Amino acid sequence: MTTTSSPLTQDELKAMVGQAALRYIAPGDIVGVGTGSTVNKFIDALATIKDQVRAAVSSSEASTARLQAIGIPVLDANAVEQLSVYVDGADEIDGHGYMIKGGGAALTREKIVAALAQRFVCIADESKRVATLGQFPLPVEVIPMAAQQIARRFAALGGQATLRLKDGQPLVTDNGQHILDVHGLRITDPLAFESAVNQWPGVVTVGVFAHQKASVCLLGTASGVETLTY
């Protein structure tokens, strides 16, 4: 009788890539740690080698709490000149390592920590791999008084921007700002797009990570972890 194994769940794929990311951590490292459900699996894996990790720089209050709970000290980004590695997930990643991030509302701090790192290791399941960015609604952190003006600018590009809500009220980020989620974009030149939107008054951070792109992506697939380098 032959038996067939059931396909891995998305949760199992996340755990698999979280574990695989440990090979990019060297003893004594200060590790940049992102935010989200896949990163939570990485933090769980970090707990198994926490004695080798000197400290972490975190991209959100939620990740900071998880890291401290497993006994890893968390440093302020201002206390660190450089990180060897930053590990984070993505909402989408294309064939060049360009990403859309910010589904968890931590995009500004994620971009700040990513900019400190020599290597960005993206951990994701294969559903996040796309040919062109834009199917996932693009998160943009904005200063609240500029939200409608920015929404009109996206409308001129063919996008529909909606204010992200939580419990019926505008979601407030760790930085005290709001998030617009923009549907209907097709981002064919992520570097130029990121540079342009960064210039709009009131934009804090756009969730295109092209200037801080992934160096490596560990992609969880049915046949195991696929390592993509860019």
Side-chain angles (χ1 to χ4, degrees):
M1 188 176 81
T2 59
T3 58
T4 56
S5 59
S6 56
L8 293 170
T9 65
Q10 196 174 35
D11 209 47
E12 289 168 329
L13 292 172
K14 290 176 179 181
M16 197 163 65
V17 294
Q19 182 70 34
L22 293 183
R23 68 175 181 261
Y24 293 91
I25 311 302
D29 267 355
I30 300 172
V31 182
V33 179
T35 299
S37 56
T38 308
V39 171
N40 288 343
K41 299 295 186 184
F42 170 63
I43 295 172
D44 293 344
L46 267 185
T48 67
I49 63 161
K50 64 180 180 183
D51 294 340
Q52 299 176 42
V53 177
R54 181 154 42 121
V57 174
S58 162
S59 69
S60 69
E61 293 172 11
S63 288
T64 293
R66 288 183 80 97
L67 287 159
Q68 291 172 335
I70 64 169
I72 292 179
V74 178
L75 303 178
D76 187 280
N78 287 309
V80 177
E81 286 189 20
Q82 192 176 66
L83 300 168
S84 59
V85 65
Y86 175 60
V87 179
D88 202 357
D91 298 307
E92 286 185 342
I93 184 164
D94 72 8
H96 301 283
Y98 301 145
M99 296 165 287
I100 283 182
K101 293 176 48 54
L107 61 160
T108 297
R109 296 190 186 191
E110 288 171 349
K111 201 170 273 193
I112 290 167
V113 184
L116 284 169
Q118 293 173 294
R119 173 185 274 172
F120 188 138
V121 176
C122 175
I123 51 176
D125 65 83
E126 61 185 338
S127 70
K128 306 299 195 299
R129 177 161 51 180
V130 299
T132 304
L133 300 178
Q135 189 169 336
F136 187 91
L138 172 69
V140 186
E141 185 163 353
V142 300
I143 292 170
M145 71 177 286
Q148 288 308 310
Q149 179 187 159
I150 292 165
R152 289 191 291 271
R153 294 191 75 154
F154 278 118
L157 298 180
Q160 299 84 47
T162 57
L163 190 64
R164 191 181 301 184
L165 303 178
K166 183 179 181 181
D167 302 325
Q169 298 297 317
L171 179 144
V172 178
T173 69
D174 286 350
N175 310 308
Q177 311 300 342
H178 291 173
I179 299 246
L180 291 174
D181 291 306
V182 189
H183 300 252
L185 296 173
R186 191 167 178 273
I187 303 168
T188 55
D189 188 344
L191 281 164
F193 182 93
E194 181 183 3
S195 295
V197 176
N198 276 341
Q199 304 305 313
W200 295 359
V203 169
V204 179
T205 303
V206 58
V208 171
F209 280 58
H211 293 285
Q212 270 76 47
K213 71 171 193 169
S215 317
V216 176
C217 181
L218 303 176
L219 208 64
T221 75
S223 55
V225 177
E226 188 178 339
T227 302
L228 307 171
T229 55
Y230 308 101

Short mmCIF file of all heavy atoms in Angstrom, two decimals, residues 90-139:
data_model
loop_
_atom_site.label_atom_id
_atom_site.label_comp_id
_atom_site.label_asym_id
_atom_site.label_seq_id
_atom_site.Cartn_x
_atom_site.Cartn_y
_atom_site.Cartn_z
N ALA A 90 8.09 39.01 3.72
CA ALA A 90 7.63 39.91 2.65
C ALA A 90 6.20 39.56 2.30
O ALA A 90 5.77 38.41 2.47
CB ALA A 90 8.52 39.77 1.41
N ASP A 91 5.47 40.55 1.83
CA ASP A 91 4.12 40.29 1.32
C ASP A 91 4.17 39.86 -0.14
O ASP A 91 3.34 39.10 -0.60
CB ASP A 91 3.26 41.54 1.50
CG ASP A 91 3.11 41.91 2.97
OD1 ASP A 91 2.71 41.04 3.76
OD2 ASP A 91 3.44 43.05 3.34
N GLU A 92 5.18 40.38 -0.86
CA GLU A 92 5.48 39.93 -2.23
C GLU A 92 6.98 40.07 -2.46
O GLU A 92 7.60 40.98 -1.90
CB GLU A 92 4.76 40.80 -3.28
CG GLU A 92 3.28 40.56 -3.41
CD GLU A 92 2.65 41.37 -4.56
OE1 GLU A 92 3.27 42.35 -5.05
OE2 GLU A 92 1.54 41.01 -4.97
N ILE A 93 7.54 39.20 -3.30
CA ILE A 93 8.93 39.35 -3.72
C ILE A 93 9.03 38.93 -5.18
O ILE A 93 8.44 37.93 -5.60
CB ILE A 93 9.90 38.54 -2.82
CG1 ILE A 93 11.35 38.79 -3.22
CG2 ILE A 93 9.56 37.05 -2.80
CD1 ILE A 93 12.37 38.37 -2.18
N ASP A 94 9.75 39.74 -5.96
CA ASP A 94 9.86 39.43 -7.40
C ASP A 94 11.21 38.79 -7.71
O ASP A 94 12.01 38.48 -6.81
CB ASP A 94 9.60 40.68 -8.26
CG ASP A 94 10.73 41.72 -8.21
OD1 ASP A 94 11.80 41.44 -7.63
OD2 ASP A 94 10.53 42.83 -8.77
N GLY A 95 11.48 38.59 -8.97
CA GLY A 95 12.69 37.87 -9.38
C GLY A 95 13.98 38.63 -9.19
O GLY A 95 15.06 38.08 -9.39
N HIS A 96 13.90 39.90 -8.79
CA HIS A 96 15.10 40.71 -8.54
C HIS A 96 15.37 40.89 -7.04
O HIS A 96 16.34 41.55 -6.68
CB HIS A 96 14.96 42.09 -9.20
CG HIS A 96 14.74 42.03 -10.67
ND1 HIS A 96 15.76 41.78 -11.58
CD2 HIS A 96 13.61 42.16 -11.41
CE1 HIS A 96 15.26 41.78 -12.81
NE2 HIS A 96 13.97 42.01 -12.73
N GLY A 97 14.49 40.35 -6.20
CA GLY A 97 14.63 40.56 -4.77
C GLY A 97 13.94 41.82 -4.28
O GLY A 97 14.05 42.19 -3.12
N TYR A 98 13.21 42.51 -5.18
CA TYR A 98 12.41 43.67 -4.78
C TYR A 98 11.14 43.16 -4.10
O TYR A 98 10.56 42.15 -4.52
CB TYR A 98 12.03 44.53 -5.98
CG TYR A 98 13.21 45.06 -6.77
CD1 TYR A 98 13.13 45.18 -8.16
CD2 TYR A 98 14.39 45.45 -6.14
CE1 TYR A 98 14.20 45.68 -8.90
CE2 TYR A 98 15.46 45.95 -6.87
CZ TYR A 98 15.36 46.06 -8.24
OH TYR A 98 16.43 46.54 -8.97
N MET A 99 10.69 43.89 -3.07
CA MET A 99 9.58 43.40 -2.26
C MET A 99 8.51 44.46 -2.03
O MET A 99 8.78 45.65 -2.11
CB MET A 99 10.10 42.95 -0.88
CG MET A 99 11.05 41.78 -0.92
SD MET A 99 11.96 41.61 0.66
CE MET A 99 13.11 42.99 0.55
N ILE A 100 7.31 43.99 -1.71
CA ILE A 100 6.30 44.81 -1.04
C ILE A 100 6.22 44.30 0.39
O ILE A 100 6.13 43.09 0.64
CB ILE A 100 4.93 44.72 -1.72
CG1 ILE A 100 4.91 45.58 -2.99
CG2 ILE A 100 3.82 45.17 -0.77
CD1 ILE A 100 3.59 45.61 -3.73
N LYS A 101 6.30 45.24 1.34
CA LYS A 101 6.23 44.92 2.76
C LYS A 101 5.34 45.94 3.45
O LYS A 101 5.10 47.01 2.93
CB LYS A 101 7.63 44.93 3.38
CG LYS A 101 8.52 43.81 2.85
CD LYS A 101 9.94 43.86 3.38
CE LYS A 101 10.06 44.05 4.85
NZ LYS A 101 9.30 43.05 5.63
N GLY A 102 4.87 45.58 4.63
CA GLY A 102 4.06 46.51 5.42
C GLY A 102 2.68 45.99 5.76
O GLY A 102 1.89 46.71 6.38
N GLY A 103 2.40 44.73 5.41
CA GLY A 103 1.12 44.15 5.79
C GLY A 103 0.91 44.14 7.30
O GLY A 103 -0.22 44.20 7.78
N GLY A 104 2.02 44.09 8.03
CA GLY A 104 1.96 44.12 9.49
C GLY A 104 2.13 45.51 10.07
O GLY A 104 2.27 45.66 11.29
N ALA A 105 2.15 46.54 9.23
CA ALA A 105 2.18 47.95 9.62
C ALA A 105 3.51 48.41 10.21
O ALA A 105 3.59 49.48 10.79
CB ALA A 105 1.04 48.28 10.61
N ALA A 106 4.58 47.61 10.02
CA ALA A 106 5.88 47.97 10.61
C ALA A 106 6.89 48.43 9.55
O ALA A 106 8.08 48.45 9.80
CB ALA A 106 6.44 46.79 11.39
N LEU A 107 6.41 48.83 8.37
CA LEU A 107 7.30 49.05 7.24
C LEU A 107 8.37 50.10 7.48
O LEU A 107 9.50 49.97 7.00
CB LEU A 107 6.52 49.39 5.97
CG LEU A 107 5.64 50.66 5.97
CD1 LEU A 107 5.35 51.07 4.51
CD2 LEU A 107 4.31 50.41 6.66
N THR A 108 8.06 51.17 8.22
CA THR A 108 9.06 52.23 8.42
C THR A 108 10.24 51.71 9.23
O THR A 108 11.40 51.87 8.84
CB THR A 108 8.43 53.45 9.10
OG1 THR A 108 7.43 53.98 8.22
CG2 THR A 108 9.46 54.52 9.39
N ARG A 109 9.95 51.09 10.34
CA ARG A 109 11.04 50.56 11.17
C ARG A 109 11.75 49.41 10.46
O ARG A 109 12.97 49.25 10.60
CB ARG A 109 10.52 50.14 12.54
CG ARG A 109 9.97 51.33 13.33
CD ARG A 109 9.67 50.98 14.76
NE ARG A 109 9.02 52.11 15.44
CZ ARG A 109 8.82 52.18 16.75
NH1 ARG A 109 9.22 51.18 17.54
NH2 ARG A 109 8.21 53.22 17.29
N GLU A 110 11.00 48.63 9.69
CA GLU A 110 11.65 47.55 8.92
C GLU A 110 12.66 48.13 7.93
O GLU A 110 13.77 47.61 7.79
CB GLU A 110 10.57 46.74 8.18
CG GLU A 110 9.75 45.86 9.10
CD GLU A 110 8.55 45.22 8.43
OE1 GLU A 110 8.21 45.60 7.29
OE2 GLU A 110 7.94 44.35 9.06
N LYS A 111 12.30 49.22 7.27
CA LYS A 111 13.21 49.80 6.29
C LYS A 111 14.43 50.41 6.98
O LYS A 111 15.55 50.35 6.46
CB LYS A 111 12.47 50.83 5.43
CG LYS A 111 13.15 51.12 4.10
CD LYS A 111 12.29 51.96 3.16
CE LYS A 111 11.34 51.15 2.31
NZ LYS A 111 10.75 51.95 1.20
N ILE A 112 14.22 50.99 8.16
CA ILE A 112 15.33 51.58 8.91
C ILE A 112 16.33 50.49 9.31
O ILE A 112 17.55 50.65 9.15
CB ILE A 112 14.81 52.32 10.16
CG1 ILE A 112 14.06 53.59 9.74
CG2 ILE A 112 15.95 52.67 11.12
CD1 ILE A 112 13.25 54.23 10.86
N VAL A 113 15.83 49.39 9.84
CA VAL A 113 16.74 48.32 10.28
C VAL A 113 17.39 47.65 9.07
O VAL A 113 18.58 47.34 9.08
CB VAL A 113 16.01 47.29 11.17
CG1 VAL A 113 17.00 46.24 11.68
CG2 VAL A 113 15.34 47.97 12.36
N ALA A 114 16.63 47.47 7.99
CA ALA A 114 17.19 46.88 6.77
C ALA A 114 18.35 47.71 6.24
O ALA A 114 19.34 47.17 5.74
CB ALA A 114 16.11 46.74 5.70
N ALA A 115 18.25 49.04 6.38
CA ALA A 115 19.30 49.93 5.87
C ALA A 115 20.59 49.81 6.67
O ALA A 115 21.66 50.19 6.19
CB ALA A 115 18.81 51.37 5.87
N LEU A 116 20.51 49.27 7.89
CA LEU A 116 21.71 49.05 8.71
C LEU A 116 22.45 47.77 8.34
O LEU A 116 23.60 47.58 8.73
CB LEU A 116 21.32 48.96 10.20
CG LEU A 116 20.98 50.25 10.94
CD1 LEU A 116 20.37 49.91 12.29
CD2 LEU A 116 22.21 51.12 11.11
N ALA A 117 21.76 46.89 7.61
CA ALA A 117 22.29 45.52 7.43
C ALA A 117 23.06 45.36 6.13
O ALA A 117 22.69 45.90 5.09
CB ALA A 117 21.14 44.52 7.48
N GLN A 118 24.13 44.57 6.21
CA GLN A 118 24.90 44.23 5.02
C GLN A 118 24.14 43.24 4.14
O GLN A 118 24.31 43.23 2.93
CB GLN A 118 26.24 43.62 5.43
CG GLN A 118 27.17 44.60 6.14
CD GLN A 118 28.40 43.88 6.67
OE1 GLN A 118 28.34 43.05 7.57
NE2 GLN A 118 29.55 44.22 6.11
N ARG A 119 23.31 42.41 4.76
CA ARG A 119 22.58 41.37 4.00
C ARG A 119 21.15 41.29 4.52
O ARG A 119 20.92 41.22 5.72
CB ARG A 119 23.28 40.02 4.18
CG ARG A 119 22.52 38.86 3.58
CD ARG A 119 23.21 37.55 3.90
NE ARG A 119 24.26 37.23 2.93
CZ ARG A 119 25.11 36.22 3.08
NH1 ARG A 119 25.09 35.50 4.18
NH2 ARG A 119 26.00 35.97 2.13
N PHE A 120 20.20 41.34 3.59
CA PHE A 120 18.78 41.18 3.91
C PHE A 120 18.39 39.75 3.51
O PHE A 120 18.42 39.40 2.34
CB PHE A 120 17.94 42.20 3.12
CG PHE A 120 16.48 42.27 3.49
CD1 PHE A 120 15.86 43.51 3.61
CD2 PHE A 120 15.71 41.14 3.70
CE1 PHE A 120 14.51 43.61 3.93
CE2 PHE A 120 14.36 41.23 4.03
CZ PHE A 120 13.76 42.47 4.15
N VAL A 121 18.02 38.95 4.50
CA VAL A 121 17.54 37.60 4.25
C VAL A 121 16.02 37.61 4.38
O VAL A 121 15.47 37.81 5.46
CB VAL A 121 18.16 36.59 5.23
CG1 VAL A 121 17.57 35.19 5.00
CG2 VAL A 121 19.69 36.55 5.08
N CYS A 122 15.36 37.43 3.25
CA CYS A 122 13.89 37.37 3.23
C CYS A 122 13.45 35.93 3.45
O CYS A 122 13.98 35.00 2.83
CB CYS A 122 13.37 37.88 1.89
SG CYS A 122 11.58 37.73 1.70
N ILE A 123 12.50 35.74 4.36
CA ILE A 123 11.93 34.40 4.59
C ILE A 123 10.45 34.46 4.24
O ILE A 123 9.72 35.33 4.70
CB ILE A 123 12.16 33.91 6.04
CG1 ILE A 123 11.73 34.95 7.07
CG2 ILE A 123 13.63 33.56 6.25
CD1 ILE A 123 11.85 34.47 8.53
N ALA A 124 10.03 33.56 3.36
CA ALA A 124 8.65 33.62 2.86
C ALA A 124 8.23 32.24 2.35
O ALA A 124 9.07 31.38 2.07
CB ALA A 124 8.57 34.63 1.72
N ASP A 125 6.92 32.05 2.24
CA ASP A 125 6.45 30.84 1.56
C ASP A 125 6.23 31.16 0.09
O ASP A 125 6.17 32.34 -0.30
CB ASP A 125 5.17 30.30 2.22
CG ASP A 125 4.00 31.25 2.08
OD1 ASP A 125 3.34 31.23 1.03
OD2 ASP A 125 3.75 32.04 3.02
N GLU A 126 6.14 30.12 -0.72
CA GLU A 126 6.18 30.34 -2.17
C GLU A 126 5.00 31.13 -2.72
O GLU A 126 5.07 31.66 -3.83
CB GLU A 126 6.30 29.00 -2.91
CG GLU A 126 5.18 28.03 -2.70
CD GLU A 126 5.47 26.69 -3.38
OE1 GLU A 126 6.28 26.67 -4.32
OE2 GLU A 126 4.89 25.68 -2.96
N SER A 127 3.95 31.29 -1.94
CA SER A 127 2.81 32.11 -2.41
C SER A 127 3.19 33.58 -2.54
O SER A 127 2.49 34.34 -3.20
CB SER A 127 1.63 31.98 -1.44
OG SER A 127 1.92 32.62 -0.21
N LYS A 128 4.31 33.98 -1.93
CA LYS A 128 4.73 35.39 -1.96
C LYS A 128 5.55 35.75 -3.21
O LYS A 128 5.82 36.91 -3.46
CB LYS A 128 5.55 35.74 -0.71
CG LYS A 128 4.87 35.39 0.61
CD LYS A 128 3.58 36.14 0.79
CE LYS A 128 3.06 36.12 2.23
NZ LYS A 128 2.78 34.79 2.75
N ARG A 129 5.95 34.73 -3.98
CA ARG A 129 6.77 35.00 -5.17
C ARG A 129 5.87 35.45 -6.33
O ARG A 129 4.90 34.78 -6.65
CB ARG A 129 7.56 33.76 -5.57
CG ARG A 129 8.38 33.95 -6.83
CD ARG A 129 9.49 32.95 -7.00
NE ARG A 129 9.10 31.57 -6.85
CZ ARG A 129 9.95 30.54 -6.97
NH1 ARG A 129 11.23 30.75 -7.24
NH2 ARG A 129 9.54 29.31 -6.82
N VAL A 130 6.21 36.59 -6.94
CA VAL A 130 5.40 37.14 -8.03
C VAL A 130 6.31 37.58 -9.17
O VAL A 130 7.51 37.81 -8.98
CB VAL A 130 4.56 38.35 -7.56
CG1 VAL A 130 3.59 37.96 -6.46
CG2 VAL A 130 5.45 39.50 -7.09
N ALA A 131 5.73 37.71 -10.35
CA ALA A 131 6.49 38.22 -11.50
C ALA A 131 6.59 39.74 -11.44
O ALA A 131 7.63 40.32 -11.75
CB ALA A 131 5.82 37.78 -12.80
N THR A 132 5.50 40.40 -11.05
CA THR A 132 5.45 41.86 -10.96
C THR A 132 4.77 42.26 -9.66
O THR A 132 3.71 41.72 -9.32
CB THR A 132 4.66 42.45 -12.15
OG1 THR A 132 5.24 41.99 -13.37
CG2 THR A 132 4.68 43.97 -12.13
N LEU A 133 5.36 43.21 -8.95
CA LEU A 133 4.79 43.67 -7.69
C LEU A 133 3.48 44.42 -7.91
O LEU A 133 3.34 45.13 -8.90
CB LEU A 133 5.76 44.59 -6.96
CG LEU A 133 7.14 44.02 -6.58
CD1 LEU A 133 7.98 45.10 -5.90
CD2 LEU A 133 7.01 42.80 -5.66
N GLY A 134 2.55 44.27 -6.97
CA GLY A 134 1.35 45.09 -7.01
C GLY A 134 0.05 44.37 -6.76
O GLY A 134 -0.97 45.01 -6.47
N GLN A 135 0.05 43.05 -6.86
CA GLN A 135 -1.20 42.33 -6.58
C GLN A 135 -1.58 42.48 -5.11
O GLN A 135 -2.74 42.66 -4.77
CB GLN A 135 -1.08 40.85 -6.96
CG GLN A 135 -2.40 40.11 -6.90
CD GLN A 135 -2.31 38.72 -7.52
OE1 GLN A 135 -1.47 38.44 -8.35
NE2 GLN A 135 -3.20 37.83 -7.09
N PHE A 136 -0.57 42.42 -4.22
CA PHE A 136 -0.81 42.69 -2.80
C PHE A 136 -0.97 44.20 -2.65
O PHE A 136 -0.18 44.97 -3.18
CB PHE A 136 0.36 42.19 -1.96
CG PHE A 136 0.12 42.27 -0.47
CD1 PHE A 136 -0.44 41.20 0.21
CD2 PHE A 136 0.43 43.42 0.25
CE1 PHE A 136 -0.68 41.26 1.57
CE2 PHE A 136 0.19 43.51 1.61
CZ PHE A 136 -0.36 42.42 2.28
N PRO A 137 -2.00 44.65 -1.93
CA PRO A 137 -2.17 46.10 -1.75
C PRO A 137 -0.92 46.74 -1.13
O PRO A 137 -0.40 46.25 -0.14
CB PRO A 137 -3.37 46.20 -0.81
CG PRO A 137 -4.09 44.90 -0.95
CD PRO A 137 -3.05 43.87 -1.26
N LEU A 138 -0.46 47.81 -1.74
CA LEU A 138 0.78 48.46 -1.31
C LEU A 138 0.54 49.28 -0.05
O LEU A 138 -0.22 50.25 -0.08
CB LEU A 138 1.30 49.37 -2.43
CG LEU A 138 2.49 50.26 -2.06
CD1 LEU A 138 3.74 49.41 -1.86
CD2 LEU A 138 2.71 51.33 -3.11
N PRO A 139 1.22 48.96 1.06
CA PRO A 139 1.09 49.78 2.26
C PRO A 139 1.98 51.02 2.15
O PRO A 139 3.11 50.96 1.67
CB PRO A 139 1.61 48.87 3.38
CG PRO A 139 1.66 47.48 2.78
CD PRO A 139 1.95 47.71 1.33
#
